[in-house]
Amino acid sequence: MVDQTIERGRGETYASDRWTVYEHGVYDRDSVLSGQSRRSWLDDFDTLEEAQKAYPEAVVCGSTYQPPYLGHLSDDED
């Protein structure tokens, strides 16, 4: 998987016209999302050129947002 991407900022609760850099990985074993894909915000910029200059190894792409799978969690409110 690509380690860093540059894309228009988008998540479950937000959307942005800014160019956002995300780092990609997998949640650790101690997380309730263990083993699932993780996307973490690193920075955002007004222009694509600024983002590419700051993160030259990042891949420009469409949205990589994926909602987490929560079906394995209990319905109990703890």
Side-chain angles (χ1 to χ4, degrees):
M1 176 177 228
V2 176
D3 292 329
Q4 295 176 343
T5 58
I6 301 172
E7 55 194 83
R8 294 289 189 171
R10 180 182 177 280
E12 183 71 24
T13 60
Y14 69 93
S16 172
D17 287 334
R18 293 175 59 83
W19 291 94
T20 305
V21 182
Y22 295 102
E23 182 175 68
H24 299 269
V26 175
Y27 282 98
D28 294 331
R29 290 181 60 185
D30 59 346
S31 171
V32 297
L33 300 176
S34 177
Q36 293 189 49
S37 296
R38 176 186 54 83
R39 180 180 80 151
S40 302
W41 176 89
L42 292 178
D43 210 342
D44 60 10
F45 300 88
D46 290 326
T47 68
L48 175 58
E49 292 75 20
E50 291 172 326
Q52 288 176 311
K53 184 176 180 182
Y55 294 89
E57 300 297 317
V59 174
V60 179
C61 66
S63 178
T64 58
Y65 172 73
Q66 295 178 358
Y69 173 74
L70 304 176
H72 64 289
L73 299 176
S74 156
D75 288 339
D76 296 339
E77 293 184 28
D78 298 352

